[in-house]
């Protein structure tokens, strides 16, 4: 089967399954590059795959390479599973390690941040834009705080992805290819229902859950700008919105009692956070040493067989 035919089948498959289409943009770009580089070859070859998987001169980090090649990896696995190809899947290097230490939020800091929203936007001019930001930003903060969603996942949520009847949120626009679903706590669901009714007054029949005035998604710089501005009003130090995700993971781990199955709870946490492997979730044990010490005291030498050395790679 030709490369073009397989690509068309794959795009149709993802559409029929209701999967996100944005990751396949890189696949389409890859296809057009192969047409130009190998104009007489209509079939996908290992040479094409290996060429695309190489780190480019203009890419500053391996993480850029990974985000470009991940869609191709998923595509090859799909075509191989159907017997259309027998290609080797590219092996990517590990993500670049970060030395940043996530901030451990206190409830007082989160409350201060939410209070700052009311005070800061109350001083601004009476405009639709500021009313929308004032309405959206606290909800985005509390959603990340209570669900562990990534900032990108929250920003790119569509209304069709949020079931306000069941509390099921479908996360399609995420890191890599880790599409997954989560179920909101009842209190978070009520918060979203109240928000939805209010935001509809500004953007009726919107398609984006946290929209701009044009019904487009908020960009990353806007979220970061408002976060930094509001954090400094009542809190000290430097933090990032993404730290709320780390806080969700560590808070969950610290709430576990030792009477249940740690492995089951670890799997559940990993799935809710959209991690591709348990290894990524294990990283958070290094952020809560008090809990790890508690388990080790109870299990003795068996602890080393259950919890391996903590990986430092990016989730």
């Amino acid at each position: 089967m030709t490369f073009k035919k397989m690509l068309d089948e794959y795009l149709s498959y993802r559409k029929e399954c209701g999967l996100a289409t944005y990751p396949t943009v890189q696949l389409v770009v890859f296809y057009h590059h192969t047409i130009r580089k190998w104009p007489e070859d209509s079939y996908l070859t290992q040479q094409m795959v290996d060429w695309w998987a190489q780190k480019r001169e203009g890419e500053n980090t391996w993480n850029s390479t990974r985000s470009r090649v991940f869609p191709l990896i998923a595509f090859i696995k799909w075509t191989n599973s159907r017997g259309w190809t027998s290609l080797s899947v590219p092996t990517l290097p590990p993500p670049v390690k970060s030395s940043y230490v996530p901030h451990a939020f206190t409830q007082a800091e989160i409350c201060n941040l939410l209070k700052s929203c009311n005070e800061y936007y109350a001083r601004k001019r009476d405009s639709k834009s500021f009313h929308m930001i004032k309405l959206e930003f606290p909800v985005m903060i509390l959603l990340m705080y209570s669900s562990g969603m990534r900032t990108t996942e929250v920003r790119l949520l569509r209304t069709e992805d949020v079931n306000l009847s069941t509390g099921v949120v479908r996360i399609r626009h995420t890191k890599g290819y880790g599409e997954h679903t989560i179920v909101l706590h009842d209190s978070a669901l009520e918060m979203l229902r109240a928000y939805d009714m209010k935001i509809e007054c500004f953007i009726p029949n919107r398609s984006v859950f946290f929209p701009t005035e044009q019904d487009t998604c908020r960009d990353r710089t806007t979220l970061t700008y408002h976060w930094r501005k509001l954090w400094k009003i009542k809190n000290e130090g430097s933090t990032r919105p993404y730290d709320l995700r780390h806080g969700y993971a560590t808070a969950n781990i610290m709430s576990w009692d030792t009477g249940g199955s740690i492995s089951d709870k670890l799997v559940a946490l990993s799935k809710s956070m959209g991690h591709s492997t348990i290894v990524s979730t294990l990283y958070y044990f290094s952020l809560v040493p008090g809990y790890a010490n508690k388990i080790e005291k109870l299990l003795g030498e068996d602890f080393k067989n259950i919890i391996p050395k903590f990986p430092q790679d990016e989730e």
Side-chain angles (χ1 to χ4, degrees):
M1 186 180 293
T2 65
F3 185 5
K4 180 63 166 59
K5 178 64 176 176
M6 290 192 300
L7 181 58
D8 288 342
E9 291 285 343
Y10 184 61
L11 296 178
S12 176
Y13 159 78
R14 291 187 65 85
K15 182 178 180 180
E16 290 296 323
C17 292
L19 300 175
T21 56
Y22 81 95
T24 59
V25 172
Q26 284 290 351
L27 274 179
V28 175
V29 173
F30 169 54
Y31 170 73
H32 287 293
H33 274 287
T34 60
I35 291 178
R36 289 193 291 268
K37 192 172 180 63
W38 293 279
E40 298 181 359
D41 198 339
S42 59
Y43 295 91
L44 181 62
T45 66
Q46 192 67 52
Q47 183 183 17
M48 296 174 183
V49 172
D50 295 341
W51 168 73
W52 187 255
Q54 293 177 354
K55 183 176 181 295
R56 296 175 179 174
E57 184 177 346
E59 291 175 331
N60 296 325
T61 68
W62 274 114
N63 288 339
S64 300
T65 308
R66 289 168 61 88
S67 62
R68 178 171 53 81
V69 180
F70 263 131
L72 177 59
I73 291 177
F75 177 63
I76 292 175
K77 288 180 178 179
W78 188 80
T79 58
N80 283 350
S81 69
R82 282 156 177 73
W84 298 344
T85 58
S86 56
L87 299 167
S88 297
V89 178
T91 300
L92 293 177
V96 176
K97 298 178 181 178
S98 172
S99 59
Y100 178 81
V101 178
H103 180 80
F105 295 102
T106 65
Q107 289 189 349
E109 288 176 329
I110 297 298
C111 289
N112 286 340
L113 185 62
L114 297 175
K115 290 177 182 177
S116 297
C117 291
N118 290 328
E119 294 180 11
Y120 177 72
Y121 293 117
R123 300 195 302 265
K124 295 297 179 179
R125 60 183 181 275
D126 187 21
S127 69
K128 180 178 180 180
S129 176
F130 277 105
H131 279 301
M132 289 178 63
I133 283 286
K134 181 180 179 179
L135 181 61
E136 292 177 25
F137 199 75
V139 178
M140 296 173 78
I141 292 173
L142 290 173
L143 181 57
M144 289 186 284
Y145 184 65
S146 63
S147 69
M149 290 176 64
R150 298 178 175 94
T151 52
T152 299
E153 295 168 351
V154 171
R155 288 193 304 102
L156 301 184
L157 270 182
R158 316 289 292 188
T159 53
E160 62 183 350
D161 298 329
V162 183
N163 189 321
L164 293 174
S165 297
T166 63
V168 175
V169 177
R170 183 181 181 185
I171 302 175
R172 295 187 294 168
H173 302 276
T174 185
K175 181 180 181 180
Y177 250 56
E179 299 178 14
H180 60 289
T181 58
I182 62 171
V183 180
L184 298 174
H185 187 274
D186 289 345
S187 59
L189 178 56
E190 287 301 319
M191 174 186 69
L192 291 190
R193 287 171 177 167
Y195 158 79
D196 184 69
M197 293 179 62
K198 294 177 181 178
I199 199 68
E200 276 291 309
C201 297
F202 292 97
I203 309 290
N205 302 315
R206 73 194 191 286
S207 60
V208 177
F209 199 76
F210 296 106
T212 64
E213 289 185 80
Q214 293 73 38
D215 196 18
T216 58
C217 298
R218 298 281 178 188
D219 58 42
R220 183 177 57 183
T221 55
T222 299
L223 183 59
T224 302
Y225 169 80
H226 286 279
W227 173 275
R228 291 175 178 173
K229 195 85 173 177
L230 296 169
W231 178 263
K232 294 179 180 179
I233 294 177
K234 291 181 178 293
N235 292 314
E236 301 291 333
S238 177
T239 62
R240 311 172 307 175
Y242 199 90
D243 291 346
L244 292 168
R245 177 171 167 83
H246 295 280
Y248 169 82
T250 54
N252 269 273
I253 293 172
M254 288 299 292
S255 70
W256 295 345
D257 58 60
T258 54
S261 171
I262 297 299
S263 59
D264 289 346
K265 294 174 181 177
L266 188 62
V267 170
L269 178 61
S270 181
K271 294 297 183 181
S272 73
M273 297 187 71
H275 288 158
S276 57
T277 64
I278 292 293
V279 173
S280 297
T281 316
L282 286 173
Y283 160 73
Y284 290 103
F285 277 93
S286 65
L287 300 180
V288 283
Y291 187 77
N293 292 339
K294 183 178 181 181
I295 300 176
E296 185 172 17
K297 183 178 179 180
L298 291 171
L299 299 180
E301 288 298 317
D302 290 337
F303 175 76
K304 297 178 181 178
N305 298 325
I306 298 175
I307 306 297
K309 184 178 180 181
F310 302 126
Q312 296 301 317
D313 56 319
E314 181 78 13
E315 62 168 324

